[in-house]
Amino acid sequence: LALAGRERLPGLKAVVADSAFSSYGRIGREKMLQIPVLGYFLWPFSPLIVSGGLSPEPVVANIAPAPLLLIHGDQDEVVPSSHSDRLFAAAGTPKWLWTLEGGGHADALTRFRDRTAPRLLRFLDYALSGDVGLLDPADQLRVAVQPR
């Protein structure tokens, strides 16, 4: 996400991310707070987490006009789904967020494969062709801006 948002990548047709985090600092703070007692002492130092400019949230809008698909389980205990919500809010269009109800971390192509794989293939067909008619019907309704 960060690379696609920081640089123009010739030939980029789409970006798909499953269970992505929005920033190093945010995920670092969340993980520190999960350490019993010690986390509360370490948390004030979380701004010192250096991302090297690789946090996706500040640059995700630059991925457009390439379509962006974010997939996240709403029960993800590794990276909370709020990270994908933040990325989706910051992204340009066209963009989609698939929330997997009951899904954990990176479950899209494992536990939810039967449901997501065919839909993902339709998304990739759309991204390669630009033909909105190839998208899953639920995704067709969400096309805010069609790519050139």
Side-chain angles (χ1 to χ4, degrees):
L1 287 169
L3 177 62
R6 281 189 7 246
E7 297 181 23
R8 285 287 170 214
L9 302 172
L12 180 69
K13 298 292 185 183
V15 174
V16 178
D18 183 7
S19 305
F21 62 88
S22 59
S23 80
Y24 281 99
R26 183 167 288 105
I27 195 71
R29 284 189 298 276
E30 291 169 359
K31 294 303 167 190
M32 282 181 192
L33 288 174
Q34 290 177 347
I35 303 169
V37 182
L38 182 60
Y40 290 97
F41 292 108
L42 293 175
W43 189 84
F45 298 101
S46 63
L48 300 176
I49 297 172
V50 178
S51 69
L54 297 178
S55 289
E57 188 175 359
V59 296
V60 72
N62 299 333
I63 292 172
L68 171 65
L69 171 59
L70 300 167
I71 307 169
H72 217 119
D74 67 353
Q75 301 299 309
D76 190 334
E77 294 181 359
V78 177
V79 178
S81 61
S82 60
H83 284 261
S84 282
D85 294 337
R86 292 179 71 87
L87 289 169
F88 184 76
T93 54
K95 61 184 178 180
W96 290 263
L97 173 58
W98 297 351
T99 301
L100 304 175
E101 292 184 29
H105 188 69
D107 273 349
L109 293 177
T110 55
R111 212 172 114 216
F112 291 88
R113 180 188 174 118
D114 292 344
R115 189 168 78 202
T116 58
R119 189 175 176 190
L120 177 59
L121 290 174
R122 287 191 292 273
F123 175 82
L124 294 173
D125 284 342
Y126 150 73
L128 291 172
S129 69
D131 182 355
V132 175
L134 296 175
L135 281 168
D136 184 90
D139 294 327
Q140 289 179 20
L141 300 175
R142 298 183 191 165
V143 176
V145 176
Q146 294 184 24
R148 297 181 248 162

